[in-house]
Amino acid sequence: MVARPRRARLDSTACNAFVNSTGRPAELVVTGSGLLADNEATLQAFGLPEQSPRYALVSTTFGVVLHPNGSQGQLSLQGSIGRLRDQIFVAGPDGRAEVGLDLTQLPQPNGAVSAVAGETWYAQAWFRDRVGGVATSNFTSTAAVRFE
């Protein structure tokens, strides 16, 4: 039996984030197990504005769109983008938030799909922000994970 550390970082950063109202960019990392059979993956975000709601987004296609719909940041996902609608997560006073992923039910526009061994999935969080007292949105860095 091979022992694996729990909550190991699985991702690499595919794209950095823009600075948000905290004065720094928000990061997103994926922790857990890279083995699909374990179905253990968690998105962890850092450097977020306190108490603003955010959605996790996932896609198998990477691509950069600057300032979508007036956002302060960049969306680094393209193609079929799924949003974890039922899993809004909110940052605490320390600017951290996390949400679990079910690798057998990754959201896509036409329904949930299972991750397949050898695929690379990209994840990013979209969050509410305020610049100069004006409501806007921003994005975390983009994490890339290749599952086994």
Side-chain angles (χ1 to χ4, degrees):
M1 177 179 208
V2 176
R4 286 188 302 271
R6 299 303 255 172
R7 298 178 67 92
R9 185 166 176 182
L10 305 176
D11 69 301
S12 60
T13 301
C15 192
N16 293 318
F18 287 18
V19 172
N20 62 52
S21 63
T22 68
R24 60 185 181 203
E27 291 183 62
L28 184 80
V29 299
V30 182
T31 61
S33 170
L35 297 176
L36 290 173
D38 292 344
N39 194 17
E40 184 182 315
T42 301
L43 302 179
Q44 296 179 307
F46 308 92
L48 298 165
E50 182 181 353
Q51 296 300 315
S52 64
R54 56 209 96 261
Y55 283 108
L57 306 171
V58 295
S59 179
T60 57
T61 307
F62 176 80
V64 176
V65 178
L66 294 174
H67 310 293
N69 293 325
S71 171
Q72 296 300 306
Q74 62 186 3
L75 175 62
S76 299
L77 307 175
Q78 289 188 356
S80 295
I81 299 172
R83 180 176 72 173
L84 281 76
R85 296 175 207 254
D86 298 333
Q87 295 174 296
I88 296 174
F89 56 116
V90 178
D94 61 356
R96 296 174 183 246
E98 69 177 49
V99 64
L101 285 180
D102 180 349
L103 301 176
T104 67
Q105 295 290 310
L106 294 169
Q108 290 291 277
N110 294 321
V113 299
S114 292
V116 175
E119 281 183 328
T120 298
W121 280 81
Y122 299 91
Q124 190 171 27
W126 175 31
F127 60 93
R128 298 290 288 164
D129 203 1
R130 296 189 79 72
V131 175
V134 177
T136 186
S137 65
N138 206 330
F139 296 90
T140 62
S141 60
T142 305
V145 178
R146 183 175 174 91
F147 291 104
E148 301 173 16

